[in-house]
Structures are given as C-alpha cells and as structure tokens.
Amino acid sequence: MTLATLPAPNGLDLSPRPAAGPRTREVGPGWEVLLMPEPFARIVTDAITRSAAAHALGWIFAHDGHWGVFLPEQSDDPAWPPGTTYLKAGTRVTLPPFTWALTDGDGTCGWVSQDGAPLSRPLLLHPVVALLAPEVTCSVSSAPEA
C-alpha cells in the first residue's frame, strides 16, 4: 500500500500544503496507533532495521516524548506489552504536519520515518516489542537513582 492508495484517515489532511503545527486527529477508521516512549522506540526500530524484518515498519511520528507507529485496526490481539499504549479507532492522537522532520520545531514533534507503506505489520513488530520490553523495563528499574 502506498500513500496514493491509502485512503485519507478520518479527517487527516494529506495535501502537500504545510500545516501550522501539530493537530489532534481521531484515530481510524482503518488504522490505529501504538505509542512507545522514545528511548524504547529507538531500541525497537534499531533492532528491526538491522534485521530482515525492516519492511515491518511503516510511518513513525514523534510527539511529546513518544513515538507512534501506525497499525491496521484491531492489531491489539495479542495485547502489547506494558510500557506501550495502544490507541484504538475513535480515540484522539496528536500528529505533526506531514512536512515536519523530527528536527523541525523543538525536535520533539515530527516524523521519524515516512518511508514505505504508512501501516506497520503487527505480526512482525509485536514479537520484537514483546521481546525487548522486559529488557528495557529491567534496565530502567535497576538503574541507580540520581
């Protein structure tokens, strides 16, 4: 699926004109979002892009310390591990304008990747997220306090 064949998600403006700033949109229909804290998302995307499953990732956006991955609707079975947030169709998410790279603005809101298909493949992404989540949780909880 390419941007040209992906129907514009409910209320999502895919026009090339620049938008003023991040906008809140309703999730779905046809897509939902997995949010991960940015440090964990970097570990997951690094692990996936170093493997043969690099094509598992679709577009990724950053906002407010989290990275969001677009998934097909009903990609929450099996459940995603603790430390992630799954946004079902009908909930709201803040998306950066399509013209913003991660370095635009304050560097905390933008697009990490818009290569390939917009939707990620949950059957390839889920095992990696589930495998890495316990390691990240353990390393964070065992870190010395400042």
Side-chain angles (χ1 to χ4, degrees):
M1 182 179 302
T2 66
L3 177 59
T5 61
L6 179 69
N10 188 20
L12 193 56
D13 182 6
L14 298 179
S15 65
R17 62 182 156 69
R23 303 225 174 147
T24 301
R25 300 284 186 230
E26 187 173 297
V27 174
W31 58 282
E32 295 178 334
V33 175
L34 176 67
L35 293 176
M36 297 178 275
E38 182 266 337
F40 179 53
R42 284 186 187 274
I43 292 168
V44 168
T45 56
D46 287 349
I48 290 176
T49 56
R50 286 193 314 259
S51 75
H55 61 281
L57 290 177
W59 294 358
I60 302 170
F61 68 94
H63 181 74
D64 198 25
H66 287 82
W67 284 11
V69 178
F70 296 101
L71 297 170
E73 269 188 292
Q74 301 178 356
S75 294
D76 58 338
D77 185 21
W80 294 90
T84 63
T85 302
Y86 189 81
L87 303 178
K88 295 181 85 54
T91 58
R92 311 267 315 157
V93 65
T94 301
L95 298 175
F98 279 97
T99 58
W100 281 17
L102 190 54
T103 57
D104 290 348
D106 61 4
T108 62
C109 183
W111 292 92
V112 177
S113 172
Q114 286 179 290
D115 297 333
L119 301 179
S120 293
R121 297 181 181 186
L123 292 178
L124 298 174
L125 181 62
H126 193 281
V128 174
V129 172
L131 178 68
L132 294 174
E135 292 180 24
V136 172
T137 302
C138 291
S139 66
V140 170
S141 64
S142 64
E145 293 186 27

